Amino acid sequence: MTENKAGFLSLLNTLTGSGIFLLPAAAARAGSGGYLIPLLALPVLMYAFLFLYHISLLRAPQAAASAVRAVYALICAFLAACSLSLASALCMELMLPGVNPLLLLAALCAVLYLCIASRHTVNGLNLMFFIFLAILLLLLPLGLSGARAERLAPRLNGSAAAFAAILPFFAGMATVPALAAQGADKRPLSLAVCLACLLQAGITAACISVLGPAAAAQGSYAVLITLKSGTALLSLRVLLASLAFSLTLLKPAVNLANSALLTARRLTDGKWLRPVLCAAIFALSLCMRGIITALL
């Protein structure tokens, strides 16, 4: 896979991320026109992308460049920990409510360690998620024929849900310098930013069409209820939703951890780097879990 294709898939998957769960309900609070919010955010994201892309290509003295890379690697590791903690919380809420949270977090971190073993592994996961996401989006309109707004209590309050919904956008922008350093061109990356906003707008519009005003009250359940509405190919949609959402929860953390690892390897290299990085992410995730749990 070329650097441009790998960069496109990586940025697109990170920008969508767990926002697929949380952005539709947060945007629905603005009313029937809430699907426009991702589109209105597009100019801001494009400006941030162009700034980060071009500044990452600037040359600086060796000492200054090393310091910037170290700080950047720490930022990516911290955002990876945030994404992993959010993935753990959503996984417990939507799929595994009875699992011990520490064991789940440790399991996710172990999967993360395996996922960033090589660039081929990361690229393969990005390609797999892109295929699942494409199929899922094609099946999403089938739920529009039979809406059923089940009342499920949201777990996040308004401000926490809004922050969690936009976290993937921060995460995606954070990976831009690493992707640029790997040789990805500006055009495929900018295309990924535009497509991510269009996908979020389309998913939000579908949720609002099916659930109406109730979409804002469903929290992370809004997309799942939309996918389970109607009867056409319902079993297939539920199966694909489970597979795609499992990847969705983990993909931002994988791409952020991979960005931190690639940047850290430009400073020093060794077999100890990947386990130390994952151990640091796990420790940060434990700290962030307490904050996220307090917001639930």
Side-chain angles (χ1 to χ4, degrees):
M1 185 181 295
T2 65
E3 293 296 342
N4 286 335
K5 291 180 181 178
F8 169 80
L9 292 176
S10 176
L11 185 57
L12 175 64
N13 292 341
T14 310
L15 284 171
T16 50
S18 54
I20 289 179
F21 289 97
L22 300 167
L23 185 61
R29 298 176 188 274
S32 59
Y35 69 93
L36 294 174
I37 291 179
L39 301 180
L40 295 176
L42 179 57
V44 178
L45 289 174
M46 283 302 300
Y47 178 83
F49 160 73
L50 292 173
F51 173 78
L52 291 170
Y53 183 86
H54 288 293
I55 202 172
S56 65
L57 300 180
L58 294 177
R59 295 191 176 185
Q62 181 66 29
S66 297
V68 170
R69 286 172 188 151
V71 172
Y72 172 69
L74 289 174
I75 291 174
C76 286
F78 173 74
L79 288 174
C82 293
S83 298
L84 204 64
S85 298
L86 183 59
S88 174
L90 287 174
C91 191
M92 287 186 62
E93 178 186 353
L94 300 173
M95 301 182 206
L96 303 168
V99 174
N100 183 293
L102 293 180
L103 291 178
L104 178 60
L105 197 56
L108 289 176
C109 197
V111 173
L112 179 69
Y113 176 81
L114 297 174
C115 289
I116 61 174
S118 68
R119 185 181 302 180
H120 296 295
T121 307
V122 175
N123 292 343
L125 286 171
N126 278 317
L127 180 60
M128 187 188 307
F129 171 69
F130 180 77
I131 293 173
F132 275 122
L133 181 62
I135 296 174
L136 200 61
L137 290 171
L138 291 175
L139 295 176
L140 189 62
L142 296 177
L144 302 179
S145 60
R148 58 183 195 189
E150 305 163 23
R151 296 299 296 179
L152 296 170
R155 295 287 304 279
L156 295 172
N157 60 44
S159 58
F163 171 76
I166 63 175
L167 179 61
F169 292 104
F170 286 105
M173 289 296 106
T175 63
V176 169
L179 296 175
Q182 291 299 306
D185 293 335
K186 179 169 63 176
R187 182 174 296 179
L189 295 182
S190 60
L191 178 61
V193 175
C194 295
L195 185 57
C197 290
L198 290 174
L199 289 176
Q200 294 283 18
I203 293 171
T204 302
C207 290
I208 293 176
S209 297
V210 171
L211 302 177
Q218 299 300 335
S220 52
Y221 294 100
V223 175
L224 292 180
I225 294 174
T226 302
L227 284 167
K228 292 190 296 182
S229 296
T231 57
L233 299 177
L234 178 60
S235 299
L236 178 62
R237 280 187 283 137
V238 172
L239 174 62
L240 288 173
S242 300
L243 294 173
F245 285 162
S246 298
L247 288 172
T248 299
L249 289 173
L250 198 58
K251 278 314 300 169
V254 169
N255 288 330
L256 283 163
N258 187 56
S259 296
L261 182 62
L262 292 175
T263 304
R265 281 177 175 165
R266 299 178 68 183
L267 300 172
T268 181
D269 200 2
K271 295 181 179 179
W272 53 269
L273 191 57
R274 183 162 61 105
V276 167
L277 174 64
C278 289
I281 291 175
F282 178 67
L284 288 171
S285 299
L286 290 177
C287 298
M288 292 305 300
R289 178 184 166 274
I291 298 175
I292 291 178
T293 302
L295 295 174
L296 290 177

